[in-house]
Amino acid sequence: MNWLYRISFYRRIQTALLLFLIFPLLLISGFTFMANKQANEENIRTSMEGIIGILANDLSKTANDVTYTVNQFSLPQTNGVFNSLRNLKYLQSFNNFNEYRDYANLNENATLLIGKLSLVHVSVFFVNKEYYPIVGSIKSEDVAELRRDKRFEHMRGSEAASGIVEWFRVEKSGGYEGVFGEDYYYFIKKSVYDPIRHEVLGTLFIGIPESYFRKLLLNSSGGVISLYEKDGELIAGTKGSMDHLSAKPLSGWMREQVDVPGTSWQLTYDIEKKSVAGNLVQRYSYMLIAMVIVLFIFLFMSIVIARGLNQPIGKLMRIVKQYGEGNTLIRYNLKGQDEISVLGNTINHMMDNINTLISKVEAEQEEKRIIELYALFSQIQPHFLFNTLNSIKCNLALEGNQTQSEAIDSLMSLLRAHLRAGEPHQLAEEYRLLTQYVSIMRMRNRLDIEFSVELPEQFRSFSVPRMLLQPLVENSIVHGMTRHVMNPSICVRVEEVDEGVEIQIEDNGKGIDEAQAKVLNERLLKGAEQQGERGVGLYNVLRRLKLTYGDKASLTIRSGIPAGCVCILFIPITEEGQRGDVT
């Protein structure tokens, strides 16, 4: 195979492409299979349309016959049938011969009307106004059991007068084992209405049994045939029918759907696509086996050729990988004049340029580090400030100026907190810092501000970002407290609410009105940083809340009652929120 390495890389690719002629054969075979499969599916679909059309016509005939029978029976006429219905509307037992004669006459006429439905083996019964069975073999106790279902009640007078009929399905398993012999019936119901006396004389029920649907639908060959009402509820179906009609067939299935003429029913025929392929898959499987054998031969030949292509590329990849791992002295050993050799030579030059650039960057970084080190040394060290303030505090204490000494002590605590603002601490510590801050502000503004904290014991160790509440208290003092505010006060309280903790900072200063509060809340909700007045620092507080506890955390501003301003922070209590990084 030495000849392979003497030709160019381009020629090697051409040699490999010659072997890929096998793939067009596979593609052609695949397209042929798909075309035949599609043609087979079209034939099956045509057959499905014929079958479902015949079934729809048969169902339409049955439904029309049942509807015609019901309408004929309930049609107001000046004949013996209607008079018998009037005479028997209150019947509960036979008290005289005339009642029995009307009963016999009614059953004889009903038998003639229902005779054409004998092939369907329907279940027919008529109950009078008092729910006593007049027609059919049903018993009074069976009627009482059926009446647990409101669908077996008489129609309202307005419905009966309009002549409408109602269809519904009844399951034997629904508590009617002693009444029905079939698994289910699909009933048509119509109440007989006396237009002269304006009353319901009774209701006729005709039930199409499950055996009729089973015999009709199972005559089809394969697939799942289902009959649905207009609202998608199942009327009848073969094994696998869904209880409710779906908009599309299941994945991998075909569907044909028609409306049953003269009814609101829909008949669907679903068949699995893999069963449509039939012997077509088996025939093509043999062809596929032959192609697989040819493919193995191709793979063997391609491996031999690919080895000649891959060896120099693999070597070049290993050199690049080692260079990336820190071996900056490694280089590609040039052999020949093919494309790989040219590429290797280019990579060698690139690695030389990278080494030069790295040396330059390292020199620049070292120079930058020295400059930054000098800058750090030139800064005033924080411990020098603290030592100086501590000396001043001690001198003031020794001179008896305890007030100024405590103010400097509070200032030192606040400075330490600012230096560690990126670290969390407990609410108890946060309120200690707030107390010291308010003490300093009393001295600066010469205001006798009353500061109170309502912190339940269970929240003293609750973790919050350091100096989170200080900007809000500062807003209350700077923008709310003036010389005209009588008895200025600030109250901070913590309460447990649904799914979190609520912290309220309330003052009795000059406050803000509802319109101003609404504008502030809208800007905070949109994430816009407010400048000036009470918006100073609010955006930063909200930003730290969301970075620490997530998007559920919130800051809301509202006007106080009767005056002042209230800032409400909501912190969700979650494991993630308690562990959140303070920003």
Side-chain angles (χ1 to χ4, degrees):
M1 299 295 294
N2 292 332
W3 62 271
L4 188 62
Y5 301 101
R6 289 195 295 268
I7 64 176
S8 67
F9 188 72
Y10 175 74
R11 295 299 179 187
R12 297 179 209 174
I13 294 177
Q14 284 185 321
T15 304
L17 287 176
L18 291 175
L19 298 176
F20 279 113
L21 291 175
I22 189 66
F23 287 101
L25 294 177
L26 291 173
L27 290 175
I28 292 172
S29 300
F31 288 140
T32 303
F33 171 78
M34 296 303 297
N36 291 337
K37 182 180 178 182
Q38 185 175 3
N40 195 22
E41 288 181 359
E42 291 297 327
N43 292 335
I44 295 297
R45 192 176 294 277
T46 301
S47 177
M48 292 171 63
E49 291 177 357
I51 293 173
I52 201 172
I54 294 173
L55 294 178
N57 289 333
D58 198 338
L59 288 169
S60 175
K61 181 178 180 301
T62 300
N64 290 333
D65 288 344
V66 172
T67 305
Y68 174 80
T69 300
V70 169
N71 289 330
Q72 285 296 111
F73 185 87
S74 59
L75 187 66
Q77 303 179 59
T78 56
N79 55 22
V81 174
F82 200 73
N83 290 331
S84 297
L85 293 176
R86 283 177 173 174
N87 295 334
L88 299 177
K89 62 182 179 181
Y90 295 118
L91 177 68
Q92 292 185 346
S93 62
F94 296 104
N95 297 316
N96 53 61
F97 178 75
N98 290 332
E99 289 181 347
Y100 179 78
R101 182 180 58 192
D102 289 330
Y103 169 82
N105 179 56
L106 186 61
N107 275 270
E108 180 180 358
N109 283 279
T111 302
L112 293 175
L113 284 174
I114 301 169
K116 63 186 306 181
L117 301 177
S118 59
L119 295 177
V120 184
H121 303 292
V122 295
S123 174
V124 181
F125 60 93
F126 175 85
V127 293
N128 64 4
K129 189 173 184 177
E130 297 298 325
Y131 292 97
Y132 183 81
I134 305 298
V135 176
S137 58
I138 194 169
K139 301 176 182 178
S140 297
E141 53 267 28
D142 294 335
V143 175
E145 185 175 354
L146 291 175
R147 287 186 64 193
R148 291 187 291 108
D149 188 342
K150 294 297 183 182
R151 295 175 298 179
F152 285 98
E153 298 278 354
H154 297 308
M155 292 180 175
R156 294 191 298 268
S158 59
E159 295 177 338
S162 65
I164 64 172
V165 297
E166 180 181 344
W167 290 90
F168 59 93
R169 172 172 166 150
V170 178
E171 303 282 347
K172 178 181 178 181
S173 58
Y176 306 113
E177 288 81 1
V179 182
F180 302 127
E182 302 270 357
D183 289 340
Y184 64 85
Y185 285 82
Y186 196 65
F187 274 97
I188 184 173
K189 159 188 170 182
K190 184 172 184 181
S191 293
V192 180
Y193 183 77
D194 189 343
I196 299 176
R197 301 177 182 177
H198 304 291
E199 62 179 344
V200 175
L201 302 179
T203 303
L204 178 66
F205 297 90
I206 299 181
I208 304 176
E210 176 261 350
S211 58
Y212 165 75
F213 294 108
R214 183 179 67 249
K215 181 179 179 182
L216 177 66
L217 300 182
L218 286 180
N219 284 335
S220 61
S221 55
V224 177
I225 299 181
S226 308
L227 181 64
Y228 295 95
E229 188 54 84
K230 62 180 178 181
D231 59 358
E233 291 296 324
L234 179 67
I235 297 175
T238 58
K239 183 178 181 181
S241 295
M242 294 181 292
D243 293 333
H244 198 277
L245 178 61
S246 61
K248 297 181 179 179
L250 297 175
S251 177
W253 287 67
M254 300 168 53
R255 171 178 291 177
E256 284 297 324
Q257 180 174 324
V258 297
D259 295 327
V260 178
T263 70
S264 60
W265 302 346
Q266 291 181 319
L267 190 63
T268 64
Y269 189 2
D270 295 273
I271 190 168
E272 198 171 9
K273 289 184 179 180
K274 66 179 182 180
S275 64
V276 173
N279 295 330
L280 187 64
V281 175
Q282 184 178 6
R283 292 196 301 269
Y284 275 89
S285 63
Y286 292 132
M287 185 182 69
L288 183 61
I289 292 173
M291 288 189 176
V292 168
I293 296 174
V294 175
L295 181 61
F296 273 111
I297 298 174
F298 162 75
L299 288 176
F300 174 76
M301 297 179 64
S302 63
I303 288 173
V304 175
I305 297 175
R307 184 176 297 173
L309 297 172
N310 189 58
Q311 281 182 348
I313 297 177
K315 183 179 179 181
L316 193 58
M317 290 175 59
R318 290 191 295 271
I319 289 173
V320 174
K321 183 178 180 181
Q322 291 181 34
Y323 183 85
E325 292 174 350
N327 186 3
T328 58
L329 299 178
I330 193 169
R331 293 295 182 271
Y332 181 77
N333 188 16
L334 299 176
K335 290 183 180 180
Q337 297 295 324
D338 59 8
E339 290 83 354
I340 294 296
S341 298
V342 174
L343 179 60
N345 185 42
T346 303
I347 290 177
N348 287 340
H349 286 294
M350 182 185 67
M351 289 189 291
D352 293 336
N353 293 334
I354 291 175
N355 286 342
T356 302
L357 182 61
I358 289 175
S359 299
K360 183 179 179 181
V361 171
E362 287 177 348
E364 291 176 353
Q365 290 297 323
E366 179 64 20
E367 184 179 356
K368 181 179 179 182
R369 187 184 68 83
I370 293 173
I371 294 174
E372 290 177 349
L373 185 60
Y374 278 117
L376 290 174
F377 277 118
S378 65
Q379 295 178 0
I380 299 175
Q381 301 298 319
H383 69 268
F384 171 75
L385 294 176
F386 285 119
N387 290 340
T388 303
L389 289 173
N390 191 50
S391 298
I392 296 173
K393 182 190 75 170
C394 293
N395 291 334
L396 290 173
L398 291 174
E399 293 174 0
N401 193 342
Q402 191 64 29
T403 302
Q404 300 297 332
S405 177
E406 291 177 356
I408 292 178
D409 189 48
S410 298
L411 178 61
M412 292 172 62
S413 297
L414 291 174
L415 287 174
R416 290 191 184 95
H418 276 288
L419 290 175
R420 302 170 60 192
E423 302 176 6
H425 66 170
Q426 298 177 350
L427 266 179
E429 179 66 17
E430 177 75 5
Y431 287 141
R432 186 184 69 80
L433 292 175
L434 287 179
T435 302
Q436 293 173 335
Y437 172 75
V438 172
S439 176
I440 293 174
M441 297 304 288
R442 287 194 189 103
M443 180 187 69
R444 284 187 57 195
N445 297 282
R446 303 188 179 205
L447 292 173
D448 187 14
I449 302 173
E450 180 184 352
F451 182 69
S452 61
V453 174
E454 298 178 9
L455 177 60
E457 186 65 30
Q458 68 267 28
F459 294 118
R460 292 185 65 83
S461 60
F462 189 80
S463 179
V464 295
R466 196 178 298 268
M467 304 299 290
L468 176 67
L469 305 179
Q470 184 268 337
L472 303 179
V473 175
E474 181 180 357
N475 274 352
S476 295
I477 296 174
V478 174
H479 303 295
M481 304 302 177
T482 64
R483 299 289 182 182
H484 302 289
V485 176
M486 301 296 296
N487 301 319
S489 66
I490 299 175
C491 179
V492 180
R493 64 175 62 91
V494 180
E495 298 177 352
E496 183 174 3
V497 295
D498 291 342
E499 301 182 356
V501 175
E502 188 174 273
I503 304 176
Q504 296 186 11
I505 297 91
E506 182 177 0
D507 65 67
N508 65 344
K510 65 178 183 180
I512 59 175
D513 55 31
E514 292 295 338
Q516 292 174 320
K518 182 179 179 181
V519 172
L520 277 176
N521 289 324
E522 288 178 351
R523 294 185 66 88
L524 290 173
L525 185 63
K526 295 177 181 178
E529 186 171 0
Q530 176 75 9
Q531 302 293 335
E533 299 189 3
R534 287 199 180 261
V536 175
L538 292 180
Y539 177 80
N540 289 335
V541 172
L542 178 60
R543 183 64 177 163
R544 294 183 69 191
L545 272 176
K546 290 188 176 295
L547 289 175
T548 304
Y549 301 105
D551 290 335
K552 290 186 177 180
S554 64
L555 171 61
T556 308
I557 312 298
R558 64 176 174 83
S559 59
I561 299 175
C565 178
V566 182
C567 298
I568 303 172
L569 290 84
F570 172 74
I571 300 175
I573 297 181
T574 61
E575 182 180 357
E576 181 181 1
Q578 289 299 300
R579 295 200 311 264
D581 296 332
V582 178
T583 304

